[in-house]
């Protein structure tokens, strides 16, 4: 019997093909994944085409003009000031929570990640409510730092929790003090977490529209939106989009190069010891005050003003004839977008895990490049393509859901890859060796094992869609309003009380994303 099973398993494995550079055995998935990758490259192709169609002389004149130089300066200083601030706050908070005798560490760990539940444009709304004169670079840096430092804190805390303390203990035995050990041993091992977190912060800064438009701070995204509204599909707006996309691609390349080739994993026998906990002693109170001030400004401050405006507005601001359809449409787009995104990401994840090759890596990379583009560029690409090639699809739900899928597919892809990696392919092969068809084996073995990862990825996509603003403003059908667009309409009309219910609901819908991120980071460190 075992001999028969071995022969069957060998026949199954023989179907993998003899060409290591090309995926084989799943031609249907390969075709679907290739189509998904080609569609995801459409925004990049749009930017390249519009740049060429504009003509060299016109493109140079539009790019090298004072307005573009002003936007470049604003964006440069925004990134230069915000990213280091997020890195310092994120690492300091992660070190206090994971490596010191901080009281209430578990509570602080949750509170420091919670600001991600507050969309940046809601944060800006709260600050403008408190200080109507807020404007300019300093205001943008403040709001962006408070909104995005958790993007550094979460990976830094996860990395600190799983670092092997043996190196630190060796450095301490050689006479290095705690600060020397941190800067010379611990901090270099955080390189991947810091470069990844810094990249996420930078891409959010380039893509953010609502937060900076509310404080009248001009960036490429706000300028493109203004250009689009004044002259639809104008050459000036297209050239601004080209510069913005180039900036995103340069950030991706810089992040890849900054990772380096050093190895940070522990390889060898034995069990990793628990990290040393540094007693704070007299620094306990200053540390508590620091974290209290940080969470108060980043989380409780916007929550206070959202609730305050709801109290000021009273029951009259709950216009159920608007609120309920907006909530329904937001949930509908979120569910549809999550389903489409997860389904489209599955072939890419399956090939990356089960059929790794240069081809599958290229398909996956194509999507990551597109998802790094701001929503406004993706929206402009779909507007132009829909009008010129498929006018019947312009301003339809189909186009909007596809745009959501391209923007947020990595959120599903990363989770799907992790789930498929935890579902051993030997079980699939064993089922097929027993006579089960590949499709039934997938449904009965692989899918149940990867279901939690599928659900987690779909949930993250759903919550990202509920907070999306720029692509929704550009692509949503006439008469369609989501929670984000209603909030934006009321807040830009200085009707802060009417905007409050939508802001509050967005925060409630975003809170589970923070919980999921925390749970994923705990799983990554085996907690």
């Amino acid at each position: 019997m075992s001999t028969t099973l071995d022969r069957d398993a060998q026949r199954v494995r023989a179907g993998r093909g003899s060409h290591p550079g090309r995926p084989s055995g799943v031609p249907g998935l390969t075709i679907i994944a290739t189509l998904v990758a080609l569609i995801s490259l459409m925004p990049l192709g749009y930017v390249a085409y519009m740049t060429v169609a504009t003509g060299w002389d016109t493109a140079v004149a539009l790019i090298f003009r004072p307005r573009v130089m002003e936007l470049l300066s604003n964006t440069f200083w925004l990134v230069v000031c915000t990213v280091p601030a997020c890195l310092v706050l994120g690492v300091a908070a992660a070190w206090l929570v994971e490596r010191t005798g901080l009281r209430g560490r578990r509570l602080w760990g949750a509170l420091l990640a919670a600001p991600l539940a507050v969309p940046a444009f809601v944060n800006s709304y709260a600050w403008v409510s408190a200080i109507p004169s807020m404007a300019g670079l300093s205001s943008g840096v403040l709001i962006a730092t408070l909104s995005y430092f958790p993007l550094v804190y979460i990976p830094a805390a996860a990395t600190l929790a799983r670092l092997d303390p043996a190196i630190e203990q060796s450095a301490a035995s050689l006479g290095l003090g705690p600060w020397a050990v941190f800067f010379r041993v611990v901090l270099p091992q955080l390189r991947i977490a810091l470069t990844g977190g810094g990249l996420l912060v930078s891409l959010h800064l380039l893509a953010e529209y609502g937060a900076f438009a509310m404080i009248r701070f001009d960036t490429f995204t706000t300028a493109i939106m203004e250009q689009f509204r004044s002259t639809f599909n104008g050459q000036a707006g297209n050239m601004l989009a080209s510069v913005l996309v180039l900036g995103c691609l340069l950030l991706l390349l810089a992040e890849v190069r900054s990772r380096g080739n050093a190895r940070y994993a522990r390889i060898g026998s034995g069990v990793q010891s628990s990290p040393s906990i540094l007693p704070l002693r007299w620094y306990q109170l200053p540390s508590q005050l620091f974290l209290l001030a940080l969470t108060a400004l980043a989380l409780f401050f916007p929550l206070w003003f959202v609730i305050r405006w709801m109290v000021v507005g009273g029951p009259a601001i709950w216009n159920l004839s608007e609120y309920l359809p907006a909530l329904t449409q937001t949930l509908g787009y979120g569910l549809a977008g999550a389903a489409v995104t997860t389904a489209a990401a599955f072939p890419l994840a399956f090939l990356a895990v089960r059929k790794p090759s240069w081809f599958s890596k290229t398909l996956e990379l194509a999507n990551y490049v597109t998802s790094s583009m701001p929503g406004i560029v993706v929206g402009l690409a779909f507007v132009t393509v829909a009008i010129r090639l498929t006018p019947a699809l312009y301003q339809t739900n189909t186009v909007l859901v596809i745009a959501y899928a391209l923007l947020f597919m990595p959120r599903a892809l990363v989770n799907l890859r992790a789930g498929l990696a935890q579902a051993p392919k030997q079980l699939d092969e064993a089922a097929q060796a027993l006579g089960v068809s590949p499709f039934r084996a997938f449904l009965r073995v692989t899918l149940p094992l990867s279901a939690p990862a599928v659900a987690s990825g779909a949930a993250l996509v759903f919550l990202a869609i509920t907070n999306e603003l720029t692509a929704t403003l550009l692509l949503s059908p006439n008469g369609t309003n989501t929670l984000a667009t209603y909030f934006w309409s009321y807040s830009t009309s200085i009707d802060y009380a009417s905007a409050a219910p939508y802001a509050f609901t967005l925060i409630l819908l975003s809170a589970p994303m923070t919980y999921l991120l925390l749970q994923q980071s705990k799983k990554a460190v085996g907690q």
Side-chain angles (χ1 to χ4, degrees):
M1 180 67 175
S2 60
T3 304
T4 303
L5 289 177
D6 289 340
R7 286 199 302 267
D8 291 339
Q10 289 173 2
R11 284 197 297 270
V12 172
R13 287 192 291 268
R16 295 177 185 174
S18 58
H19 302 284
R22 295 180 302 175
S24 60
V26 279
L29 286 180
T30 302
I31 293 173
I32 295 173
T34 303
L35 291 175
V36 171
L38 289 175
I39 294 174
S40 70
L41 288 175
M42 187 188 69
L44 184 61
Y46 154 79
V47 171
Y49 171 77
M50 296 306 298
T51 302
V52 173
T54 301
W56 176 255
D57 294 336
T58 304
V60 169
L62 289 174
I63 292 175
F64 295 96
R65 57 191 175 108
R67 176 58 172 167
V68 177
M69 297 302 106
E70 176 190 355
L71 296 174
L72 272 176
S73 177
N74 288 350
T75 304
F76 172 81
W77 287 112
L78 180 67
V79 173
V80 166
C81 295
T82 304
V83 173
C86 289
L87 292 176
V88 171
L89 291 177
V91 171
W95 183 76
L96 286 172
V97 170
E98 297 296 335
R99 290 302 184 91
T100 72
L102 182 75
R103 294 175 183 172
R105 291 168 56 193
R106 187 177 299 274
L107 175 61
W108 283 121
L111 289 176
L112 288 166
L116 280 182
V118 183
F121 52 81
V122 173
N123 210 341
S124 184
Y125 153 87
W127 281 94
V128 171
S129 299
I131 311 173
S133 61
M134 285 194 71
L137 176 63
S138 59
S139 300
V141 171
L142 173 65
I143 292 170
T145 300
L146 295 175
S147 298
Y148 299 135
F149 83 86
L151 295 174
V152 176
Y153 163 76
I154 290 177
T159 304
L160 282 172
R162 68 171 177 261
L163 283 182
D164 186 0
I167 303 177
E168 302 168 50
Q169 294 165 0
S170 299
S173 67
L174 294 174
L176 294 180
W179 287 109
V181 171
F182 175 78
F183 284 105
R184 296 177 60 179
V185 178
V186 176
L187 197 58
Q189 295 184 84
L190 295 178
R191 174 187 289 184
I192 294 178
L194 297 186
T195 54
L199 174 66
L200 286 176
V201 173
S202 300
L203 293 177
H204 275 78
L205 293 175
L206 295 184
E208 181 58 42
Y209 167 69
F212 300 136
M214 198 167 290
I215 59 173
R216 303 178 298 280
F217 179 64
D218 292 337
T219 64
F220 276 100
T221 304
T222 61
I224 292 171
M225 182 65 81
E226 292 174 1
Q227 192 71 39
F228 174 81
R229 288 174 172 173
S230 60
T231 56
F232 172 76
N233 200 29
Q235 291 180 335
N238 291 327
M239 291 305 98
L240 290 177
S242 300
V243 177
L244 182 58
V245 169
L246 178 61
C248 293
L249 295 178
L250 290 176
L251 285 174
L252 285 175
L253 292 175
E255 191 270 341
V256 171
R257 291 183 61 86
S258 65
R259 291 179 192 171
N261 297 317
R263 177 169 60 86
Y264 302 97
R266 179 180 185 269
I267 299 178
S269 60
V271 178
Q272 179 172 308
S273 60
S274 301
S276 301
I277 300 299
L278 182 68
L280 288 176
R281 297 190 179 93
W282 296 104
Y283 295 99
Q284 182 73 236
L285 180 59
S287 299
Q288 296 282 345
L289 292 177
F290 163 68
L291 296 182
L292 179 61
L294 183 59
T295 54
L297 293 175
L299 178 63
F300 299 118
F301 183 85
L303 276 175
W304 163 257
F305 273 93
V306 169
I307 295 173
R308 174 179 175 272
W309 279 117
M310 286 197 298
V311 173
V312 170
I317 62 175
W318 292 88
N319 186 349
L320 296 183
S321 63
E322 289 182 350
Y323 176 82
L324 293 179
L327 178 60
T328 302
Q329 290 177 346
T330 300
L331 295 176
Y333 280 128
L335 292 172
V340 171
T341 304
T342 305
F346 200 94
L348 294 169
F350 190 89
L351 291 178
V353 174
R354 297 295 178 86
K355 301 289 181 178
S357 66
W358 64 266
F359 186 71
S360 62
K361 291 180 181 178
T362 302
L363 296 180
E364 188 179 8
L365 179 61
N367 184 260
Y368 282 118
V369 170
T370 300
S371 65
S372 70
M373 298 182 186
I376 191 168
V377 175
V378 176
L380 286 174
F382 273 92
V383 167
T384 304
V385 172
I387 289 178
R388 295 188 177 186
L389 301 181
T390 57
L393 293 178
Y394 176 60
Q395 284 194 324
T396 62
N397 294 327
T398 301
V399 171
L400 182 57
V401 170
I402 294 175
Y404 287 150
L406 297 191
L407 283 171
F408 305 123
M409 196 175 296
R411 298 172 185 250
L413 190 56
V414 170
N415 285 275
L416 287 173
R417 285 194 59 172
L420 289 171
Q422 294 173 357
K425 62 181 179 181
Q426 289 81 2
L427 297 178
D428 216 359
E429 293 173 348
Q432 295 180 46
L434 293 172
V436 179
S437 67
F439 181 70
R440 291 186 64 190
F442 166 77
L443 291 179
R444 296 173 61 180
V445 178
T446 303
L447 189 58
L449 291 175
S450 58
V454 174
S456 177
L460 290 176
V461 173
F462 168 82
L463 292 166
I465 291 173
T466 60
N467 291 331
E468 207 289 323
L469 181 61
T470 50
T472 307
L473 289 173
L474 290 172
L475 297 173
S476 60
N478 291 329
T480 298
N481 284 291
T482 63
L483 295 171
T485 57
Y486 259 130
F487 166 82
W488 183 247
S489 175
Y490 282 120
S491 60
T492 53
S493 301
I494 322 297
D495 190 355
Y496 294 149
S498 296
Y502 302 98
F504 185 71
T505 308
L506 286 171
I507 293 173
L508 289 182
L509 290 177
S510 300
M513 180 177 66
T514 301
Y515 175 78
L516 284 173
L517 290 174
L518 283 175
Q519 293 304 309
Q520 288 176 339
S521 67
K522 290 179 181 179
K523 290 178 182 177
V525 299
Q527 295 179 345

